[in-house]
């Protein structure tokens, strides 16, 4: 089995969070969950293991993905964590342009594309 990686899934849809957690854990990843950007920042600031990758929804209450990404840039300890945006937005490519993200995926998510992207972006521990 490959090295143990931790991912942070940020999505306000509990069903999506649960499905991603199940799929990623089956592939050997540890998964942290957050329902919005504020919860994600709280997790990143806590003593939990630092994730190697963040999967980020854009449309969320309290703090959306765009505001979270901007806030993350100012978090010294976490600003270098790669972020992959997952969005149902038809213009996701234009939306993420300038956000400084490692990539994006269209919802509904294709599991093989998701796993391939995660594997590519998770650096050896």
């Amino acid at each position: 089995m490959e090295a143990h990686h931790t991912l942070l899934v940020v999505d306000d849809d509990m069903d999506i969070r649960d499905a991603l957690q199940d799929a990623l854990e089956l592939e050997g990843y540890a998964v942290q969950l957050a329902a919005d950007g504020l919860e994600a920042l709280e997790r990143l600031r806590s003593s939990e293991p630092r994730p190697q990758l963040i999967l980020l929804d854009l449309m969320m209450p309290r703090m959306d993905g765009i505001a979270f990404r901007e806030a993350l840039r100012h978090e010294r300890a976490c600003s270098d964590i790669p972020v992959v945006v997952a969005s149902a937005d038809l213009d996701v490519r234009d939306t993420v342009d300038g956000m400084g993200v490692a990539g994006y995926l269209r919802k509904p998510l294709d599991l093989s594309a998701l796993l391939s992207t995660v594997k590519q972006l998770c650096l050896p521990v």
Side-chain angles (χ1 to χ4, degrees):
M1 178 132 227
E2 63 185 71
H4 186 72
H5 296 281
T6 300
L7 310 179
L8 174 59
V9 174
V10 188
D11 198 304
D12 61 320
D13 187 317
M14 188 173 66
D15 292 335
I16 291 175
R17 285 195 313 269
D18 289 347
L20 288 174
Q21 181 176 24
D22 290 347
L24 292 165
E25 285 179 348
L26 281 172
E27 294 294 318
Y29 297 100
V31 180
Q32 301 170 357
L33 302 174
D36 58 45
L38 287 175
E39 187 179 337
L41 285 174
E42 290 168 12
R43 287 197 172 280
L44 289 169
R45 291 171 179 154
S46 77
S47 59
E48 291 189 60
R50 183 178 186 269
Q52 281 76 44
L53 181 67
I54 298 170
L55 296 175
L56 179 66
D57 184 25
L58 289 181
M59 303 292 289
M60 297 177 289
R62 295 202 313 160
M63 178 185 273
D64 67 16
I66 295 169
F68 168 79
R69 179 64 183 126
E70 188 57 34
L72 186 67
R73 289 178 175 187
H74 300 288
E75 293 286 327
R76 275 199 196 122
C78 313
S79 62
D80 62 331
I81 299 172
V83 175
V84 174
V85 168
S87 176
D89 183 352
L90 294 175
D91 299 319
V92 65
R93 174 184 261 164
D94 294 335
T95 303
V96 301
D97 192 37
M99 283 179 64
V101 296
Y104 65 90
L105 297 164
R106 289 280 314 278
K107 287 181 177 178
L109 290 170
D110 175 86
L111 187 58
S112 62
L114 169 69
L115 294 175
S116 174
T117 300
V118 168
K119 190 172 185 176
Q120 282 181 320
L121 293 172
C122 278
L123 302 173
V125 176

